């Protein structure tokens, strides 16, 4: 990846209304971020929207300088160092900013998440489980939060752990994690999709959770209340085809309700590292390397099937507030898949489309 290509990728993904899926489709259609940036005005106009403010080149270069100053580097989707397991998921971040030991990305990973206000017993169990999983050769991935996350990182610090940050790699959130995160940047790996200096907000934590789920072969949940962020991570992992595991708890403890509910709904009950390894055995048997090259999931668009206005109207008539599968829109419209994907991309860039899990879309 050349410097000019990196600058263009930063400008593209930092542009409002461009998310991971539209980014990948733009690169698949136009071949490079520079060409995609040049095509943006026409695409947005055809979608009936206003041209978003594309960050200038100087802004991208300032971000690059900040990443270097923070001791980080970029991993770009489609490049060899980008984690393959994450790249194969819907909505994988086009750019990751990482600091630490990149060799950990070549190893098998398991996510561990749970309550921020976890009990002392649960934190002790999480530390012990993470330590034992490290001895089994697994890298423990978690979210740098209080409670179970912090205990999991501590237990796996010597064997290798990856912390997924909701803000920039130079932001310590919560503040008491500063020493832990600094040590992890030296002996483990810190990962973020946000630029340096970015303070996390509520909407950023589900985005961080999808990175935890995407990196991992499976997710272990230890103490989670209903409607907690840990259950969001478990749901995302299930949608990605990952193994979902949970540690049971007392029905009298509200913090155990989420885990017990996961087990009731089919998650694997685990009580020790051997249970986790056994549950992951089918996935661990697959050949997977973090340095394998990844081809963009979105196929090159069929540029011979350019939609006209009547095609655009037909696709929009099939859309509504309820999510619908893209395959169904293609079938009902009678148009070529490339033509439908282009109309959806135009609507997405114009801020009129919402994308959902499972390849579904709806009108905003």
């Amino acid at each position: 990846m050349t410097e000019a290509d990196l600058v263009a990728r930063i400008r593209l993904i930092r542009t409002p209304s461009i998310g991971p899926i539209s980014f990948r489709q733009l690169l698949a259609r136009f071949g490079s971020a520079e060409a995609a940036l040049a095509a943006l005005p026409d695409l947005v106009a055809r979608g009936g929207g206003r041209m978003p403010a594309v960050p200038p080149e100087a802004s991208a270069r300032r971000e690059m300088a900040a990443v270097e100053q923070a001791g980080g580097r970029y991993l770009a989707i489609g490049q060899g160092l980008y984690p393959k397991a994450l790249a194969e998921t819907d909505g994988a971040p086009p750019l990751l900013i990482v600091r630490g030991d990149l060799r950990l990305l070549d190893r098998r990973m398991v996510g561990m998440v749970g309550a921020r206000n976890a009990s002392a017993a649960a934190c002790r169990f999480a530390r012990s489980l993470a330590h034992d999983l490290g001895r089994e050769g697994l890298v423990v991935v978690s979210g740098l939060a209080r409670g179970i996350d912090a205990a999991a990182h501590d237990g796996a610090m010597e064997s290798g752990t990856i912390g997924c940050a909701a803000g920039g790699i130079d932001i310590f959130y919560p503040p008491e994690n500063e020493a832990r995160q600094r040590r992890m940047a030296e002996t483990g790996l810190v990962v973020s999709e946000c630029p340096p200096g970015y303070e996390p907000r509520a909407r950023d934590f589900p985005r961080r959770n999808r990175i935890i789920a995407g990196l991992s072969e499976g997710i272990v949940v230890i103490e989670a209340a209903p409607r907690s962020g840990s259950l969001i991570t478990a749901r995302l992992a299930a949608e990605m085809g990952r193994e979902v595991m949970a540690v049971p708890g007392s029905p009298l403890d509200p913090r155990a309700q989420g885990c017990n509910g996961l087990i009731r709904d089919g998650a694997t009950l685990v009580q020790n590292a051997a249970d986790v390894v056994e549950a992951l055995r089918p996935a661990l048997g697959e050949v997977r390397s973090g340095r394998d090259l990844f081809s963009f999931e979105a196929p090159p668009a069929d540029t011979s099937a350019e939609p006209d206005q009547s095609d655009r109207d037909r696709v929009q008539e099939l859309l509504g507030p309820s999510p619908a599968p893209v395959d169904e829109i293609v079938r009902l419209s009678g148009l070529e898949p490339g033509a439908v994907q282009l109309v959806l991309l135009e609507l997405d860039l114009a801020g009129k489309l919402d994308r959902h899990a499972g390849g579904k879309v709806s009108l905003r």
Side-chain angles (χ1 to χ4, degrees):
M1 182 172 57
T2 65
E3 182 176 302
D5 185 28
L6 177 57
V7 168
R9 287 177 185 239
I10 295 171
R11 295 179 66 203
L12 192 62
I13 194 54
R14 305 297 183 224
T15 298
S17 82
I18 295 183
I21 295 177
S22 53
F23 180 99
R24 291 168 73 163
Q25 291 184 342
L26 283 166
L27 259 65
R29 185 170 191 88
F30 297 101
S32 72
E34 291 177 284
L37 285 169
L40 269 185
D42 186 44
L43 291 171
V44 174
R46 293 203 307 241
R50 285 177 150 187
M51 181 64 187
V54 179
E57 181 178 330
S59 175
R61 292 192 177 277
R62 282 195 298 271
E63 179 180 318
M64 291 166 61
V67 169
E68 183 177 1
Q69 185 175 4
R73 63 170 294 175
Y74 289 95
L75 301 184
I77 197 167
Q79 305 295 322
L81 291 175
Y82 194 99
K84 184 174 185 290
L86 178 61
E88 291 174 339
T89 64
D90 290 336
L95 285 175
L96 290 176
I97 299 172
V98 298
R99 181 184 177 193
D101 187 357
L102 289 172
R103 294 174 298 179
L104 294 179
L105 297 176
D106 285 331
R107 293 167 53 189
R108 306 297 184 143
M109 303 173 223
V110 59
M112 287 183 62
V113 295
R116 287 178 170 84
N117 63 334
S119 65
C123 289
R124 180 180 179 182
F125 178 83
R127 269 193 307 273
S128 175
L129 181 62
H131 176 267
D132 293 345
L133 289 172
R135 293 182 64 180
E136 294 287 343
L138 293 168
V139 174
V140 172
V141 183
S142 198
L144 285 168
R146 296 183 179 96
I148 296 300
D149 288 21
H153 288 310
D154 288 347
M157 196 68 73
E158 297 300 329
S159 57
T161 183
I162 296 176
C164 298
I169 60 170
D170 57 343
I171 299 298
F172 306 109
Y173 185 89
E176 61 262 32
N177 258 350
E178 180 174 353
R180 181 177 289 109
Q181 188 170 326
R182 287 189 183 280
R183 184 181 176 197
M184 200 178 306
E186 296 173 357
T187 64
L189 188 68
V190 178
V191 177
S192 175
E193 63 179 310
C194 302
Y198 181 86
E199 295 278 354
R201 290 168 279 188
R203 69 185 184 202
D204 299 309
F205 291 95
R207 295 168 55 192
R208 175 210 60 185
N209 293 345
R210 87 184 191 283
I211 299 178
I212 297 172
L215 287 171
S216 305
E217 306 277 1
I219 295 289
V220 180
V221 185
I222 305 172
E223 284 197 344
R227 297 182 298 278
S228 65
S230 300
L231 296 190
I232 292 175
T233 308
R235 175 179 57 80
L236 292 169
E239 291 172 353
M240 295 174 185
R242 308 301 198 246
E243 184 73 24
V244 177
M245 297 159 279
V247 176
S250 169
L252 301 178
D253 188 343
R255 292 170 294 194
Q257 290 180 8
C259 290
N260 293 343
L262 287 173
I263 294 169
R264 179 197 61 206
D265 295 338
T268 301
L269 186 155
V270 297
Q271 300 178 88
N272 51 47
D275 290 342
V276 175
V277 172
E278 180 62 29
L280 293 179
R281 197 171 300 283
L284 296 177
E286 299 173 4
V287 176
R288 192 187 297 277
S289 169
R291 299 184 189 272
D292 287 344
L293 286 175
F294 170 73
S295 298
F296 287 103
E297 184 178 311
D302 182 3
T303 54
S304 64
E306 292 290 339
D308 56 26
Q309 190 54 49
S310 64
D311 296 334
R312 291 184 171 84
D313 292 340
R314 195 180 321 168
V315 171
Q316 291 196 54
E317 288 171 0
L318 293 170
L319 293 168
S322 298
V326 173
D327 291 346
E328 185 69 5
I329 295 171
V330 171
R331 186 183 70 81
L332 292 175
S333 69
L335 300 173
E336 294 293 327
V340 173
Q341 289 285 5
L342 181 56
V343 175
L344 295 178
L345 178 60
E346 292 167 356
L347 293 172
D348 193 356
L349 296 174
K352 297 183 177 181
L353 191 78
D354 283 325
R355 296 188 182 271
H356 307 270
K360 296 182 180 181
V361 293
S362 65
L363 280 180
R364 182 170 298 176

